[in-house]
Amino acid sequence: GEDVEQSLFLSVREGDSSVINCTYTDSSSTYLYWYKQEPGAGLQLLTYIFSNMDMKQDQRLTVLLNKKDKHLSLRIADTQTGDSAIYFCAEYTNAGKSTFGDGTTLTVKP
Amino acid sequence: KAGVTQTPRYLIKTRGQQVTLSCSPISGHRSVSWYQQTPGQGLQFLFEYFSETQRNKGNFPGRFSGRQFSNSRSEMNVSTLELGDSALYLCASSSGTVESRAFFGQGTRLTVV
């Protein structure tokens, strides 16, 4: 069945790069998303990538997709304390199904 | 995996009809949030209910409404359906505290014809 896996915790120092990894199993994924959940808030879309792309860059964010290994990563350059949040990876398939990972809690230390 | 249950999984309605979707959160969770997801748009926040009260609301027309019951189960209603309402509707439950993590259901796929 479909499954999206991500590590639960990541801790980095301010100014370093953060890399959050995600693996998925459904090869019919059409879109892959990264969402951010800040304390007390709902999810906000950070970025997404079409399944026929292998990289997308958006300011400090870089998404890399390895379709062969079904591996998605989100790199945040120059991580700031305001980046501390939970980051969710999600896939959306041709069948109109969406599966979310359990989220990675990113802690940025000053 | 998280035990958020959404029913029905799939639904086909015609324009002008109304629809009610249901979400049962994880036991003990008091917050339920609803999202609309369309390809390329990602999630768009509809509203959040906490302890039977709407706590947050997104930027959707009044045709979209919801409620939450004393057992934390939530329903979302869309009246006078339009073709553009076709989407995957996701609900997420959490304990509702500042640090809480959201757990998503599998969604209800609504098609309006």
Side-chain angles (χ1 to χ4, degrees), chain B residues 34-83:
Chain B
W34 287 91
Y35 297 84
Q36 181 194 68
Q37 185 181 45
T38 52
Q41 299 264 340
L43 287 179
Q44 295 186 72
F45 174 71
L46 281 155
F47 28 66
E48 182 211 0
Y49 284 86
F50 181 81
S51 292
E52 301 179 65
T53 302
Q54 189 180 85
R55 188 161 72 169
N56 286 297
K57 189 176 186 303
N59 191 24
F60 274 78
R63 299 185 297 108
F64 291 81
S65 62
R67 59 179 175 167
Q68 187 178 33
F69 302 95
S70 57
N71 62 359
S72 293
R73 189 178 72 85
S74 177
E75 287 182 347
M76 190 193 94
N77 187 76
V78 188
S79 62
T80 321
L81 283 165
E82 300 176 0
L83 295 179

Side-chain angles (χ1 to χ4, degrees), chain A residues 2-4 8-9 31 33 35 37-43 45 48 50 86 88 90 92 95-105, chain B residues 1-2 9-10 33 35 37-43 45 48 55-56 87-88 90 94 97-107 109:
Chain A
E2 305 85 14
D3 203 8
V4 175
L8 289 183
F9 301 99
Y31 293 80
Y33 302 94
Y35 293 92
Q37 183 188 19
E38 294 185 88
L43 267 67
L45 177 65
Y48 67 91
F50 294 101
I86 302 173
F88 289 87
Y92 187 95
K97 292 166 68 174
S98 196
T99 307
F100 285 74
D102 287 338
T104 298
T105 299
Chain B
K1 199 92 176 151
R9 292 291 310 280
Y10 302 93
S33 298
Y35 297 84
Q37 185 181 45
T38 52
Q41 299 264 340
L43 287 179
F45 174 71
E48 182 211 0
R55 188 161 72 169
N56 286 297
L88 183 68
L90 287 155
S94 75
T97 63
V98 168
E99 304 82 13
S100 62
R101 173 189 297 265
F103 292 88
F104 282 82
Q106 292 184 290
R109 177 74 176 162

Side-chain angles (χ1 to χ4, degrees), chain A residues 41 49 65 69 108:
Chain A
I49 189 167
L65 174 61
D69 295 338
V108 182

Side-chain angles (χ1 to χ4, degrees), chain A residues 6-7 9-12 16-22 34 60-64 71-79 87 104-106:
Chain A
Q6 39 182 142
S7 52
F9 301 99
L10 176 66
S11 180
V12 300
D16 287 350
S17 290
S18 306
V19 180
I20 303 172
N21 294 302
C22 170
W34 282 105
R60 292 190 298 123
L61 305 178
T62 303
V63 178
L64 294 176
H71 181 265
L72 182 75
S73 68
L74 173 70
R75 179 176 180 269
I76 305 173
D78 187 26
T79 315
Y87 291 82
T104 298
T105 299
L106 173 64

